[in-house]
Amino acid sequence: MKSLFFIIIVLGNFMFKRGYAQPHLYKQLQTQLILAEEGDTVHLPKGIFFLEKSLSLESKKNVTIRGAGMGKTVLNFKNQKSGAEGIKIANSRHIVMEGFTVKEAKGDAIKAINVVGVTFRNVETEWGGTHDNSYGAYGLYPVMCQQVLIEYCQARGACDAGIYVGQSHDIVIRYCEVEKNVTGINLENSTRVDVYNNLAMNNTCGILVMDVPTVVVPNGGQVRVFENQVVRNNLPNFAPAMAMVAGVPSGSGIVVVATSQVEIFANKIANNKTLGTGVFHYDLIGIETTYEKYNPYPGEVAIYNNVYSRSRLSPAFHRKLKDIPFKPNRIPHIVYDGVIDPAQKGQQVLCLRNNKTLDKFPLFANINAASGFKRIRYQAKKYDCSLPRLKKVWAGFE
């Protein structure tokens, strides 16, 4: 038995070093997921494992998928031959994923769709190497879900978003680190969201709150982004040309596009070379399309009690924003396009209060995009107001 055990260990180490697939492990794990019953925990063993197919869990209730810890249990999909994700969870209730790493998935790392009550805890996703749009689009990717909790997770290298939540509601994202993605955290067409105590660093855009017109759920809102550190998000944008996020300029801290009822407060927003916070109509960032049951205008955005600072770096406004005639010493921390919904004249689109700058750059500018960026206004007095505070979000099972 000792000799056989030794041979297995040596062979396993050889396969690990060569990056060979381990189909026996895939079959074992997928069988456990298929047979899992309510209340079961599927244990992922400690080690680095190379898988050629997606793992999937469907139509289950109260199931936990648990590894030995981030970096201790590693599922590597660099040789993946089938499946659009590393792991896919669908049509389930109360699913917990914790304590493992997913690397180099062919598509998205972990996708959850139509799940009520999904937790990602101490989960890591990563693509390495040179950044290009051959990387997977999303690291953690819950879509059309309810009661989403994402905490103590890490996501790196996605060509769209490290952490993405789309067309979902009742969402909490906290204590996470996102780095080297096009967007660190991307909230899209989602409602009732709290994003707090996260570190977004060295992405193209740290945090993006965006509604797009080409999905089933037309608009989101009631989003709070607070007490985050959003620093040095100056990575060149490597998203595919037709991706929604391809229009977001490198050097963006927190950006709001076409979403209403958003609070951005008590964040540290530092050394993002293009803008600290942006508030934009969809057409300035997104892909042109017709609008049906969709409002492309942002509204009721409150930005307060944030601290802004920036080193003297050259901004990277591009596409429709590239012609803004900012002087080098007049690039503001908060950029508002000034585009007003004609059907909502008189509505308070933007409120600014008690934000602090630690440098000599202006705090604010209305770039007056509708007039071709003529007559940029730096005075923020018109926007010194407050909006009704949004309620704390409960994912339902924190």
Side-chain angles (χ1 to χ4, degrees):
M1 288 296 294
K2 288 183 179 179
S3 298
L4 178 60
F5 181 75
F6 177 75
I7 291 171
I8 292 171
I9 291 296
V10 171
L11 180 60
N13 287 337
F14 177 80
M15 293 173 70
F16 158 68
K17 290 177 181 178
R18 294 287 184 177
Y20 292 149
Q22 293 147 295
H24 60 288
L25 177 73
Y26 170 82
K27 184 176 181 180
Q28 177 186 348
L29 293 178
Q30 186 56 60
T31 299
Q32 289 184 65
L33 294 172
I34 291 170
L35 298 179
E37 298 181 352
E38 184 174 350
D40 281 355
T41 296
V42 176
H43 291 279
L44 306 179
K46 184 177 180 179
I48 301 175
F49 306 100
F50 293 86
L51 305 178
E52 293 185 336
K53 300 178 182 180
S54 294
L55 293 167
S56 62
L57 181 77
E58 186 162 2
S59 301
K60 300 293 183 178
K61 184 177 181 181
N62 295 331
V63 171
T64 297
I65 302 173
R66 180 178 294 146
M70 288 191 296
K72 295 180 180 179
T73 296
V74 179
L75 306 180
N76 192 309
F77 290 86
K78 75 174 186 177
N79 300 319
Q80 188 171 358
K81 295 179 180 178
S82 65
E85 307 86 14
I87 301 174
K88 182 179 180 180
I89 314 295
N91 306 314
S92 298
R93 298 179 67 88
H94 305 301
I95 305 299
V96 176
M97 288 168 279
E98 61 184 5
F100 60 91
T101 296
V102 173
K103 285 192 171 185
E104 312 298 342
K106 179 180 179 181
D108 309 312
I110 307 174
K111 181 176 182 178
I113 182 168
N114 291 321
V115 179
V116 178
V118 57
T119 296
F120 301 82
R121 181 183 295 117
N122 290 309
V123 173
E124 177 185 38
T125 65
E126 184 174 22
W127 290 268
T130 303
H131 294 95
D132 60 47
N133 56 30
S134 65
Y135 283 24
Y138 306 114
L140 303 181
Y141 181 22
V143 61
M144 303 192 78
C145 293
Q146 305 173 35
Q147 299 175 358
V148 178
L149 176 60
I150 303 174
E151 61 181 3
Y152 302 103
C153 292
Q154 299 179 17
R156 287 180 292 275
C159 74
D160 195 306
I163 297 175
Y164 171 99
V165 182
Q167 304 180 73
S168 300
H169 60 81
D170 299 303
I171 302 146
V172 174
I173 303 172
R174 61 190 181 188
Y175 314 122
C176 296
E177 296 182 11
V178 287
E179 183 180 11
K180 298 182 180 179
N181 310 282
V182 172
T183 56
I185 298 173
N186 186 354
L187 312 172
E188 194 171 277
N189 298 68
S190 292
T191 303
R192 295 189 296 279
V193 188
D194 270 0
V195 179
Y196 62 92
N197 288 126
N198 301 287
L199 172 62
M201 179 176 66
N202 195 27
N203 306 281
T204 299
C205 172
I207 300 174
L208 176 63
V209 183
M210 185 175 186
D211 287 349
V212 301
T214 55
V215 294
V216 175
V217 179
N219 282 94
Q222 301 175 49
V223 176
R224 302 194 309 164
V225 179
F226 60 99
E227 297 179 2
N228 301 283
Q229 294 189 60
V230 185
V231 296
R232 297 194 302 278
N233 292 287
N234 301 318
L235 194 68
N237 193 322
F238 60 98
M242 295 305 293
M244 293 293 182
V245 297
V248 179
S250 170
S252 298
I254 302 173
V255 175
V256 178
V257 180
T259 307
S260 294
Q261 293 187 296
V262 180
E263 283 188 61
I264 300 169
F265 62 96
N267 300 284
K268 176 187 175 183
I269 305 171
N271 292 325
N272 304 288
K273 67 182 181 180
T274 302
L275 55 90
T277 303
V279 180
F280 301 119
H281 180 280
Y282 173 80
D283 283 347
L284 280 184
I285 299 294
I287 301 168
E288 292 186 7
T289 184
T290 56
Y291 304 134
E292 293 183 8
K293 298 182 180 179
Y294 168 76
N295 179 8
Y297 299 89
E300 297 180 84
V301 179
I303 303 172
Y304 59 95
N305 294 344
N306 300 286
V307 178
Y308 292 92
S309 62
R310 180 193 297 126
S311 300
R312 290 189 175 275
L313 301 170
S314 298
F317 288 106
H318 74 322
R319 294 192 176 184
K320 293 179 181 178
L321 296 171
K322 66 181 176 62
D323 295 325
I324 303 175
F326 284 136
K327 295 179 180 179
N329 63 345
R330 297 290 285 167
I331 300 168
H333 290 287
I334 301 172
V335 178
Y336 168 48
D337 65 10
V339 180
I340 303 295
D341 182 356
Q344 298 292 331
K345 283 188 176 180
Q347 180 193 49
Q348 192 66 44
V349 176
L350 178 67
C351 284
L352 309 175
R353 181 160 286 185
N354 298 329
N355 296 289
K356 182 179 180 180
T357 62
L358 301 181
D359 52 42
K360 296 182 179 180
F361 291 100
L363 172 67
F364 168 80
N366 177 342
I367 60 176
N368 203 7
S371 70
F373 311 123
K374 297 177 181 178
R375 299 184 301 279
I376 293 175
R377 301 180 179 91
Y378 290 92
Q379 294 76 24
K381 186 175 180 179
K382 176 181 177 181
Y383 306 97
D384 184 359
C385 56
S386 59
L387 292 164
R389 298 288 295 271
L390 299 174
K391 295 181 179 179
K392 177 182 173 68
V393 176
W394 297 94
F397 49 90
E398 296 101 313

